[in-house]
Amino acid sequence: GENVEQHPSTLSVQEGDSAVIKCTYSDSASNYFPWYKQELGKGPQLIIDIRSNVGEKKDQRIAVTLNKTAKHFSLHITETQPEDSAVYFCAPTIRNTNAGKSTFGDGTTLTVKP
Amino acid sequence: DAGITQSPRHKVTETGTPVTLRCHQTENHRYMYWYRQDPGHGLRLIHYSYGVKDTDKGEVSDGYSVSRSKTEDFLLTLESATSSQTSVYFCAIKGLEGTGELFFGEGSRLTVL
């Protein structure tokens, strides 16, 4: 099965600084690379994703970069704000299989200090 | 709002008792999933369904069974709950065909004493 490693497991930054979380996966068949944000007491929610034919995608303060050769992708958050504090999960996915198999990383707890 | 409702949201039970968690969706999506979330383990797939009466195992399916008799409902059953099944359970549906995006419910916190 897919082996997913996410680093760091915790990250503390000052408001306004940047944060980077890296996800390494093992299955070269993975072709969809989402990042989910989970706030306390809620279910995870997609914040950005990228497909295997694209190297980078940006949405305002967040971006995702993909290196398929090295099998890793990263979440970048710029100008962090206290509301960015949450747990973030990567979930490399093999789409177009029967149900689209997603394997989640163990999560990164991001704390943004005001 | 993906129209996913989980019930119950909280439950405390004793070892050896049966427990059923319900996931209800209003979106008529084909694919539905049950995950469990434990500290340090992210989300792990228990079972999933790709249509009415069509289900399959995930990576941590031992001790769990599922049923899907209607498109909108996906039930997770613990036949005889154990303390190791204390966890937060999330139901998810897959988005539009081919996107891969998952939409999650709010979770069901289960404590087995």
Side-chain angles (χ1 to χ4, degrees):
Chain A
E2 175 93 272
N3 188 31
V4 178
E5 292 188 2
Q6 189 176 329
H7 295 282
S9 57
T10 60
L11 180 59
S12 181
V13 300
Q14 210 63 38
E15 182 177 0
D17 288 350
S18 295
V20 181
I21 304 169
K22 184 177 179 179
C23 183
T24 304
Y25 61 96
S26 62
D27 195 333
S28 57
S30 294
N31 53 11
Y32 172 66
F33 306 94
W35 285 95
Y36 292 86
K37 176 183 181 182
Q38 185 178 29
E39 297 176 342
L40 203 60
K42 294 185 176 287
Q45 186 171 15
L46 180 78
I47 55 170
I48 195 165
D49 58 11
I50 194 168
R51 307 221 189 298
S52 58
N53 59 343
V54 178
E56 182 174 355
K57 182 178 177 181
K58 192 172 181 181
D59 183 3
Q60 299 183 352
R61 296 187 297 108
I62 59 172
V64 54
T65 57
L66 171 64
N67 185 327
K68 276 216 83 179
T69 304
K71 295 192 194 127
H72 64 74
F73 61 112
S74 296
L75 175 68
H76 305 256
I77 306 175
T78 59
E79 300 172 29
T80 53
Q81 300 168 3
E83 52 264 39
D84 294 329
S85 295
V87 181
Y88 292 83
F89 294 96
C90 65
T93 300
I94 304 171
R95 289 187 303 137
N96 304 323
T97 56
N98 195 13
K101 295 287 185 71
S102 298
T103 303
F104 283 78
D106 289 343
T108 296
T109 301
L110 173 65
T111 303
V112 180
K113 299 176 187 174
Chain B
D1 183 2
I4 305 170
T5 305
Q6 290 186 230
S7 59
R9 294 290 314 280
H10 301 271
K11 184 171 182 66
V12 179
T13 191
E14 294 188 348
T15 298
T17 59
V19 176
T20 295
L21 305 180
R22 180 185 183 232
C23 178
H24 178 80
Q25 59 139 332
T26 59
E27 306 291 323
N28 204 35
H29 285 250
R30 179 182 176 191
Y31 297 104
M32 298 183 75
Y33 307 79
W34 276 108
Y35 287 87
R36 62 177 288 175
Q37 184 174 32
D38 304 291
H41 284 283
L43 290 101
R44 292 181 290 175
L45 182 64
I46 306 171
H47 281 281
Y48 65 96
S49 170
Y50 46 97
V52 172
K53 292 186 170 32
D54 292 324
T55 65
D56 205 349
K57 296 179 181 180
E59 61 179 307
V60 290
S61 59
D62 287 348
Y64 301 95
S65 62
V66 290
S67 66
R68 191 168 179 200
S69 58
K70 298 184 289 185
T71 299
E72 57 266 35
D73 288 328
F74 192 31
L75 303 181
L76 176 70
T77 297
L78 291 65
E79 301 290 349
S80 177
T82 68
S83 58
S84 64
Q85 293 176 311
T86 292
S87 187
V88 181
Y89 292 86
F90 286 97
C91 174
I93 60 176
K94 194 169 80 165
L96 294 172
E97 292 291 337
T99 63
E101 178 181 359
L102 295 174
F103 296 90
F104 287 87
E106 296 284 281
S108 294
R109 181 175 293 276
L110 175 66
T111 302
V112 183
L113 302 175

